[in-house]
């Protein structure tokens, strides 16, 4: 039901794929197209003393995360997980993804984003780029991308990155809050997601391997260097610009906030695989679900959480970014995010109870 | 074999899936009058508050029914002939069955107040999709509403109306809020919380008369305390009762009491007819009317229909609720004594009831608990010190948000 009043009707339209949502999606998409493929923003950026359009973009992005984050903190102020997580998201964005790179540049160091890693940021394992940086950056990139990120994901799930650190996730969980419920919950979209996201991951891995090969053996094989270069520029255009920017944010008001994270992000794909064998899971309290569906409705990754909850099934889905909103909106406190440690005797007792529950008949 | 289930609520649909799981070939039909597909009644409030769409209320994807080869029929059953095993729907369709499950659920208790005879609109219930539609129709022209009845449906309706900016007078007959479930301390905590939201909660009030305007819409109620409360909507949330009236009219009615009388294997007095969920009256005379019992009964009734030996007695009671922002978990029964603590200044309290050295029940407000532990301790007849010492095991609060047991006065 829509309350009378123009402001409410407009808000309803924006949040529920009404006309206003389509207009806004067009504006967002247009903004990204102009940003990526023209220089129209450059004079504006220089006029207000921000140097380049990318600095202007970074400033807007940080402002959006901060303003949206404050809204989210107020909205979920009774939930400590949401408050802590959102504060971290804002701080990481404002420092690692904004002021530190600017400071580095000011100090005539490479403009390096400490919160980004391969495979999300292909450059950071692109040998021709990364080996041109000072040694500490090389070490940070390799250790971070190949060791630190997966190990933390094994212990805490991909959430430590996807909804605590990552800028894409940060924007989704702050500025994107009004649209989180628009993700498609159907089994069909789950099937599509599994194909597309692992396809992108595969392409990213192959490209990275080619980049290393052509870096090492390029002199002997100029054709390989040329082909790899073309491959890389198509990748940059399609994956980095179109999918993560134009589609990823442009579709917020129509497809929800995690379209990029869910269907295309190679980092999410990789960490999802780690998550499946790691400790993170969503624990379902036995027999307490009332099938209301709030969890599924507000899952930004389109996971049908209710189907697990009403079947008494604790679960780990590769796509789950651990935002914790399913647990927040559940009116009966059925769901809880946990890092299950089999070495903790208290935990294992609980798991036994849960597993008995899980073997009961369906629904 | 043709299984027919009357009622597409949680009992009926749970039974249908349970039948299919064990019998891959039988024909299974589910008849529903309220909606084409099973909906979650518990989420009606979220639809009213615009937090969900109607489609979101469906707990299963529509394709699950085709995948499981379960036929859904829309309609109301008007005739039942158990001797020839034939049903007739109100639209004239006939349906024969081999085994029949009655899972017709509950309907609201009718409002008993004088003056309603002249009211053509403004009186609402909040149990079915049709009630939701009526509420949504009336809400935009409602500035003030009265809701009568202090149960869970009442507080849900109050929250919805309040959400839409309607000033609500919430009339509760009892001396404190929800005495059926809560002790005075918790009742007061909840009452304060409801009032804090700006809802005018009036305890010890009953409606004595309903007044209507020239358009025959409800315009005010008079209360037992002598006051008059203007309102354009009147919510009657004074409990539900088994939806069995239609069975009194059919050719071969099953034995009826408060509900459809069943044996402990869910069989009714009619051959090849079972009943489960809110509409069923257990051999003890008990009628269980919550989501969890309907789901449980539906599943077990299906097993009985499949030929398994089923001997149902209700398990240890548990329930949950959310009263505005305060979550509520309860397990077990009252005891002679109880251990009560409230977190100072917060809407968080715990009550552990015990009797002759063994804990009997838990009433927890404002924090989350894994009730499986409570059940275990009650079954094991643990004493209070043991339970307090292990209480942290059952905490289910979000990460970083775990309620401090020492602040609650529970030394661990």
């Amino acid at each position: 039901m829509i309350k009378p009043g123009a402001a409410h009707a407009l808000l309803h339209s924006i949040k529920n794929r009404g006309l206003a949502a389509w207009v806004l999606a067009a504006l967002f998409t247009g903004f990204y197209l102009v940003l990526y493929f023209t220089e129209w923003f450059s004079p504006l950026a220089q006029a207000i003393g921000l140097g380049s359009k990318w600095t202007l973009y970074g400033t807007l992005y940080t402002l959006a995360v901060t303003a949206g984050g404050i809204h989210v903190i107020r909205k979920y102020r009774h939930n400590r997980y949401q408050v802590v997580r959102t504060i971290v998201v804002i701080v990481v964005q404002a420092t690692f993804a904004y002021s530190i790179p600017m400071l580095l540049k000011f100090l005539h160091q490479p403009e390096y984003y400490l919160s980004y890693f391969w495979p999300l940021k292909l450059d950071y394992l692109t040998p021709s780029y990364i080996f041109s940086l000072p040694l500490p950056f090389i070490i940070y990139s390799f250790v971070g991308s190949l060791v630190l990120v997966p190990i933390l994901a094994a212990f805490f799930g991909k959430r430590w990155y996807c909804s605590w650190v990552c800028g894409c996730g940060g924007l989704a969980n702050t500025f994107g809050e009004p649209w989180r419920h628009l993700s498609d919950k159907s089994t069909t979209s789950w099937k599509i997601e599994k194909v597309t996201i692992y396809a992108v991951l595969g392409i990213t891995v192959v490209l990275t391997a080619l980049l290393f090969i052509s870096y090492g053996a390029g002199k002997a094989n100029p054709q390989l260097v040329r082909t790899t270069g073309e491959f890389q520029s198509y990748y940059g255009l399609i994956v980095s610009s179109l999918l993560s920017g134009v589609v990823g944010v442009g579709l917020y008001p129509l497809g929800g906030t995690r379209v990029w994270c869910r269907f295309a992000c190679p980092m999410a794909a990789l960490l999802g695989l780690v998550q499946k064998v790691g400790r993170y899971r969503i624990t379902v309290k036995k027999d307490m679900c009332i099938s209301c569906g709030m969890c599924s409705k507000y899952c930004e990754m389109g996971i049908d959480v209710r189907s697990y909850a009403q079947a008494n099934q604790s679960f780990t889905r590769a796509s789950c970014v651990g935002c914790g909103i399913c647990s927040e909106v559940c009116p009966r406190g059925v769901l809880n995010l946990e890092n299950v440690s089999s070495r903790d005797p208290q935990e294992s007792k609980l798991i036994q109870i849960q597993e008995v529950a899980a073997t009961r008949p369906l629904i | 074999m043709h299984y027919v289930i009357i009622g597409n609520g949680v009992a009926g649909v749970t039974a249908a899936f349970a039948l299919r799981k064990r019998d891959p070939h039988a024909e299974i039909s589910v008849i529903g009058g309220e909606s084409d597909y099973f909906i979650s009644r518990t989420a009606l409030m979220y639809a009213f508050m615009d937090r969900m769409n109607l489609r979101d209320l469906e707990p299963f994807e529509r394709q699950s029914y085709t995948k499981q080869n379960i036929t859904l029929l829309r309609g109301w059953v008007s005739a039942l002939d158990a001797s020839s095993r034939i049903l007739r729907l109100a639209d004239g369709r006939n349906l024969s069955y081999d085994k029949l499950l009655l899972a017709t659920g509950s309907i609201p208790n009718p409002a008993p107040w004088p003056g309603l005879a002249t009211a053509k609109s403004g009186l609402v219930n909040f149990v079915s999709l049709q009630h939701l539609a009526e509420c949504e129709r009336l809400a935009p022209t409602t500035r003030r509403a009265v809701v009568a009845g202090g149960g869970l449906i009442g507080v849900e309706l109050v929250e919805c109306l309040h959400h839409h900016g309607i000033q609500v007078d919430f009339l509760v007959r009892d001396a404190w809020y929800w005495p059926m479930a809560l002790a005075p301390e918790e009742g007061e905590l909840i009452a304060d919380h409801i009032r804090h939201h700006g809802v005018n909660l009036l305890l010890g009030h009953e409606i004595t008369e309903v007044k209507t305007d020239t358009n025959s819409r409800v315009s005010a109620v008079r209360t037992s305390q002598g006051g008059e409360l203007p309102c354009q909507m009147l919510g009657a949330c004074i409990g539900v009762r088994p939806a069995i009236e239609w069975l009194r009219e059919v050719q071969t009615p099953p034995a009826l009491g408060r509900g459809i009388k069943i044996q402990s294997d869910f069989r009714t007095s009619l051959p090849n007819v079972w009943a489960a969920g809110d509409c069923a009256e257990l051999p003890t005379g008990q009628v269980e009317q919550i989501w969890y019992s309907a789901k449980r009964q539906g599943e077990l009734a299906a097993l009985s229909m499949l030929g398994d030996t089923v001997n149902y007695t209700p398990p240890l009671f548990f329930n949950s609720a959310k009263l505005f922002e305060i979550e509520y978990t309860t397990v077990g029964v009252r005891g002679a004594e109880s251990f009560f603590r409230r977190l100072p200044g917060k809407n968080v309290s715990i009550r552990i009831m015990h009797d002759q050295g063994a804990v009997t029940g838990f009433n927890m407000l404002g924090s989350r608990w894994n009730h499986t532990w409570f059940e275990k301790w009650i079954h094991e007849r643990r004493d209070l010190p043991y339970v307090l010492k292990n209480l942290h095991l059952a905490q289910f609060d979000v990460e970083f948000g775990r309620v401090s047991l020492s602040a609650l006065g529970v030394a661990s």
Side-chain angles (χ1 to χ4, degrees):
Chain A
M1 194 194 72
I2 303 170
K3 262 192 296 185
H8 188 273
L10 180 67
L11 195 63
H12 184 91
S13 173
I14 284 180
K15 287 166 76 168
N16 291 285
R17 295 197 188 109
L19 181 64
W22 283 86
V23 172
L24 200 61
L27 282 176
F28 287 165
T29 309
F31 170 82
Y32 274 93
L33 289 173
V34 169
L35 175 75
Y36 281 123
F37 302 111
T38 76
E39 289 305 319
W40 299 353
F41 286 130
S42 302
L44 176 66
Q46 277 149 14
I48 56 175
L50 286 173
S52 79
K53 64 175 183 181
W54 297 115
T55 314
L56 173 66
Y57 176 56
T59 309
L60 288 174
Y61 202 99
T62 307
L63 284 174
V65 168
T66 309
I70 290 167
H71 164 70
V72 165
I73 289 170
R74 285 172 57 89
K75 183 173 176 182
Y76 300 120
R77 56 187 173 274
H78 49 272
N79 183 323
R80 284 280 293 281
Y81 181 74
Q82 297 308 329
V83 172
V84 173
R85 186 174 71 83
T86 308
I87 290 172
V88 171
V89 163
I90 296 172
V91 170
V92 168
Q93 174 61 34
T95 55
F96 288 8
Y98 185 63
S99 45
I100 291 177
M102 289 221 289
L103 186 69
L104 285 170
K105 207 167 130 188
F106 180 74
L107 298 172
H108 302 290
Q109 292 292 318
E111 185 184 335
Y112 194 91
Y113 290 78
L114 295 165
S115 54
Y116 286 101
F117 301 92
W118 180 91
L120 177 55
K121 188 94 170 150
L122 188 69
D123 289 353
Y124 290 174
L125 280 193
T126 298
S128 56
Y129 171 76
I130 196 73
F131 291 138
S132 73
L133 302 186
L135 187 62
F137 292 98
I138 302 175
I139 295 172
Y140 183 83
S141 176
F142 273 81
V143 174
S145 301
L146 300 175
V147 183
L148 182 77
V149 169
I151 283 186
L152 284 174
F155 280 90
F156 303 108
K158 73 201 255 189
R159 56 181 172 153
W160 88 265
Y161 190 75
C162 296
S163 55
W164 286 71
V165 171
C166 177
C168 311
L171 191 71
N173 284 169
T174 53
F175 177 71
E177 174 68 17
W179 301 290
R180 62 156 48 247
H181 59 284
L182 297 175
S183 58
D184 190 320
K185 313 303 190 295
S186 66
T187 314
T188 313
S189 63
W190 182 15
K191 281 182 188 154
I192 295 170
E193 155 200 328
K194 282 192 278 195
V195 172
T196 57
I197 197 166
Y198 295 119
V200 175
L201 176 64
I203 291 166
T204 310
V205 170
V206 168
L207 175 56
T208 306
L210 284 175
L211 286 167
F212 271 90
I213 293 167
S214 63
Y215 182 75
K219 279 190 187 115
N221 198 339
Q223 178 61 37
L224 178 71
V225 177
R226 255 199 313 280
T227 314
T228 308
E230 275 175 37
F231 188 177
Q232 190 181 2
S233 59
Y234 277 116
Y235 183 91
L237 173 70
I238 294 169
V239 178
S240 309
S241 305
L242 288 178
L243 289 179
S244 81
V246 181
V247 172
V249 183
L251 287 187
Y252 269 20
L254 299 176
T257 46
R258 292 276 194 170
V259 173
W260 154 253
C261 313
R262 181 184 180 192
F263 291 100
C265 175
M267 185 97 175
L270 187 65
L271 295 186
L273 294 173
V274 176
Q275 174 159 285
K276 281 297 277 183
V277 296
R279 293 184 166 185
Y280 168 75
R281 73 164 185 191
I282 294 182
T283 301
V284 170
K285 199 154 79 177
K286 187 187 131 198
D287 289 339
M288 210 49 120
C289 174
I290 51 168
S291 298
C292 73
M294 287 288 279
C295 50
S296 295
K297 174 76 175 175
Y298 287 93
C299 176
E300 54 185 344
M301 296 304 281
I303 299 169
D304 189 2
V305 182
R306 165 166 57 186
S307 67
Y308 299 92
Q310 67 193 358
N312 291 322
Q313 222 170 23
S314 296
F315 67 101
T316 306
R317 272 276 290 272
S319 64
C320 175
V321 289
C323 69
I325 293 296
C326 55
S327 163
E328 155 61 27
V329 297
C330 174
R332 307 298 163 108
V334 172
L335 304 159
N336 208 3
L337 275 53
E338 290 187 336
N339 306 309
V340 183
S341 163
S342 52
R343 283 195 293 266
D344 182 342
Q346 291 172 355
E347 276 299 335
S348 68
K349 260 192 263 170
L350 193 63
I351 295 163
Q352 277 169 13
I353 291 177
Q354 292 292 338
E355 273 165 6
V356 170
T359 56
R360 289 162 46 86
L362 78 169
I363 68 169
Chain B
M1 176 65 72
H2 186 194
Y3 295 104
V4 175
I5 298 166
I6 305 178
N8 66 348
V10 61
V13 169
T14 305
F17 281 113
L19 288 168
R20 174 58 74 222
K21 195 178 182 195
R22 283 267 301 275
D23 189 341
H25 305 298
E27 195 183 339
I28 301 174
S29 305
V30 181
I31 306 168
E34 179 184 347
S35 57
D36 290 337
Y37 294 89
F38 168 41
I39 60 128
S40 177
R41 196 164 313 288
T42 49
L44 282 181
M45 63 178 295
Y46 302 117
F48 194 7
M49 292 198 291
D50 252 353
R51 295 183 70 183
M52 299 180 98
N53 303 322
L54 287 183
R55 187 73 182 260
D56 299 323
L57 303 191
E58 293 171 17
F60 298 99
E61 280 187 278
R62 292 185 173 179
Q63 59 177 9
S64 337
Y65 303 101
T66 27
K67 269 190 189 160
Q68 298 280 325
N69 196 17
I70 291 168
T71 309
L72 302 179
L73 299 167
R74 181 77 190 267
W76 296 98
V77 179
S78 58
L80 161 63
D81 180 356
S83 54
S84 51
R85 298 206 297 265
I86 288 179
L87 296 173
R88 176 171 298 137
L89 271 62
D91 60 12
R93 275 180 292 176
N94 283 328
L95 200 67
S96 66
Y97 64 84
D98 295 303
K99 291 182 177 181
L100 177 68
L101 178 67
L102 305 171
T104 52
S106 293
I107 49 168
N109 281 327
W113 308 303
L116 274 176
T118 57
K120 288 207 185 79
S121 83
L123 179 72
V124 294
N125 296 117
F126 198 54
V127 173
S128 70
L129 275 178
Q130 288 71 33
H131 297 154
L132 173 66
E134 180 66 0
C135 287
E136 296 196 322
R137 189 179 73 81
L138 291 173
T141 52
T142 301
R143 282 168 292 108
R144 295 188 64 130
V146 168
V147 174
L152 289 182
I153 297 177
V155 75
E156 284 177 3
L157 182 57
V158 169
E159 187 175 346
C160 293
L161 296 171
H162 174 71
H163 172 85
H164 287 295
I166 295 167
Q167 172 61 47
V168 186
D169 295 304
F170 187 14
L171 269 52
V172 176
R173 184 174 56 182
D174 310 296
W176 71 84
Y177 186 76
W178 209 18
M180 211 174 83
L182 303 175
E185 292 90 342
E186 288 100 322
E188 194 183 329
L189 189 158
I190 297 293
D192 285 347
H193 181 64
I194 292 173
R195 288 183 177 129
H196 182 73
H197 276 277
V199 172
N200 183 29
L201 172 64
L202 298 167
L203 295 168
H205 278 65
E206 283 187 85
I207 293 174
T208 51
E209 190 192 346
V210 178
K211 296 191 167 181
T212 48
D213 63 15
T214 47
N215 298 319
S216 303
R217 179 164 173 175
V218 170
S219 62
V221 298
R222 291 194 68 80
T223 74
S224 52
Q225 307 278 348
E228 185 167 310
L229 302 166
C231 60
Q232 294 82 46
M233 253 173 110
L234 169 59
C237 304
I238 47 175
V240 293
R241 61 182 184 190
I244 55 169
E245 289 310 313
W246 67 282
L247 280 167
R248 299 190 197 280
E249 314 293 320
V250 302
Q251 207 170 342
T252 56
L256 300 172
R258 284 170 63 208
I260 302 162
K261 291 190 176 214
I262 55 164
Q263 294 155 30
S264 60
D265 60 357
F266 298 96
R267 282 176 185 273
T268 67
S269 61
L270 298 174
N272 301 308
V273 181
W274 285 255
D278 284 21
C279 66
E281 179 183 327
L282 303 178
T284 54
Q286 192 182 355
V287 178
E288 292 189 288
Q289 287 174 314
I290 59 175
W291 182 266
Y292 307 126
S293 54
K295 188 169 169 178
R296 187 165 62 221
Q297 288 193 19
E299 192 172 314
L300 290 170
L303 297 183
S304 176
M305 292 169 84
L306 287 159
D308 288 7
T309 307
V310 171
N311 187 6
Y312 178 71
T313 47
L316 192 65
F317 181 76
F318 68 91
N319 199 5
S320 68
K322 190 171 185 184
L323 306 144
F324 279 79
E325 278 95 51
I326 302 180
E327 288 177 35
Y328 167 66
T329 308
T330 187
V331 176
V333 294
R334 285 173 197 184
E337 296 171 83
S338 79
F339 174 92
F340 176 77
R341 292 287 186 275
R342 179 174 175 179
L343 205 58
K346 302 265 184 196
N347 289 325
V348 176
S349 74
I350 62 171
R351 182 182 295 278
I352 304 170
M353 293 157 283
H354 52 107
D355 209 342
Q356 297 170 358
V359 295
T360 57
F362 295 77
N363 257 354
M364 314 306 236
L365 283 176
S367 55
R368 289 183 169 180
W369 301 89
N370 188 343
H371 64 293
T372 6
W373 288 101
F374 298 162
E375 290 175 341
K376 185 168 153 28
W377 295 330
I378 293 170
H379 285 309
E380 292 171 357
R381 299 190 53 76
R382 298 292 184 180
D383 60 14
L384 183 64
Y386 176 92
V387 169
L388 291 177
K389 190 166 151 273
N390 289 286
L391 199 57
H392 62 281
L393 294 174
Q395 287 193 282
F396 208 66
D397 297 306
V398 299
E399 290 159 295
F400 311 113
R402 184 165 280 207
V403 166
S404 158
L405 289 180
S406 52
L408 260 175
V410 178
S412 55

